[in-house]
Amino acid sequence: MIYGYAIEPESLIDWAKNKKDGRIILNSFGPGTSRLLKEYPKLKKWRKMLKKAYNNSDLTSEQKLKYAELIQLFTKQYIEFDSGIYNGNTPWINNVTKTTNKGCFKAIITKEKTAEISNHNILISSLCDEWPDSFWDIEKQITIPREANSIANVLAPMIQNSKLVKFVDPYFNICEERWLSIFKAILDKSISKNSINYPKCFEVHTSAMHAYSNRKKEESYRKNSIQIFKKILPADSSMIVYGWKMRNSGDKLHNRYILTNFGGVLFGTGLDKGEQGETDDISLLSGQSYQLRMAQYCDESTEFELDFRFEITK
């Protein structure tokens, strides 16, 4: 539900000059939306190219203000991407269409499409009104069956672009098949065998009260969880499992989320597989809600009381 777009730096000049297009972009990208800049090339290089485009432009004072807004929008929150070698002697569009990760961008937004480039997901920056719905319209809420493949298919574009993924469910237990099947399906759909761009850090945030019924069962819960996660986690990754308790007059450990380093979604029912015929609603979190939940489910949380924490590395 959150996708990465490759954006040619010179496109920002077009949007700064065109009030209507600039307004569309400002309302459609950034934190709390389904669209983020996916760096190409790396952000430091991208910004150098941006500066060069700006120096060669003839923006008015009003357009410069709009341009500054656009820069802040795209660089405040973006998707990191290991794009490999970038050839500065060839045009940006030629570089981006030759990336080894096929389909790694929802769309490629460029100032000008050359005749020899035939990729179907290329959008011309000055033609916002003509962009195909398939590359632009993204639902912020979707109803799907509560089964592994359906959930994994919806989440894969967001997960595969992330560096950190938090699974928040007070009942989450990887030792039970209904949670294990969803977690495995998400990994299978999100991580391609030849890609180096996939999450390396995972977290589970659950209720200590539901993790085990008493302290005598704590060790077996921990041991079994470690054993299972070690089998299914991707190479060079880690998982931290948190067990939380509610505080008096504090928030309730109830809602289910998947949170990443740049956005998150809310589940209406849970992160486990349901019975035949059951559905669930998955909703994109607003920027404000996302920041709140990220602050609640972290080492520094003051909202809940930490009961246990253990880490698995692979």
Side-chain angles (χ1 to χ4, degrees), residues 54-68:
Y54 176 81
N55 291 337
N56 292 333
S57 71
D58 55 351
L59 297 178
T60 66
S61 296
E62 183 181 357
Q63 291 168 347
K64 287 178 180 179
L65 292 175
K66 182 65 67 178
Y67 176 80

Side-chain angles (χ1 to χ4, degrees), residues 136-164:
W136 190 244
D137 284 352
I138 304 170
E139 292 180 318
K140 291 188 176 182
Q141 181 172 324
I142 188 169
T143 302
I144 61 170
R146 286 187 66 205
E147 55 92 17
N149 284 332
S150 295
I151 292 174
N153 284 335
V154 169
L155 296 175
M158 179 178 75
I159 301 295
Q160 65 192 12
N161 283 319
S162 307
K163 299 295 182 185
L164 166 68

Side-chain angles (χ1 to χ4, degrees), residues 17 47 61 79 107 167 183 185 214 216 218 252 261 272 279 283 289:
K17 288 182 175 181
R47 294 195 73 146
S61 296
I79 296 172
F167 295 81
F183 187 82
N214 57 65
K216 290 182 180 180
E218 178 183 357
K252 187 176 182 180
N261 50 295
D272 57 330
T279 61
S283 305
S289 295

Side-chain angles (χ1 to χ4, degrees), residues 276-290:
Q276 182 70 32
E278 289 185 5
T279 61
D280 202 356
D281 298 323
I282 305 178
S283 305
L284 181 69
L285 291 175
S286 69
Q288 182 179 13
S289 295
Y290 163 72

Side-chain angles (χ1 to χ4, degrees), residues 180-193:
L180 174 61
S181 62
I182 299 294
F183 187 82
K184 287 176 67 176
I186 289 174
L187 292 184
D188 289 343
K189 293 286 183 180
S190 304
I191 301 173
S192 61
K193 293 180 180 179

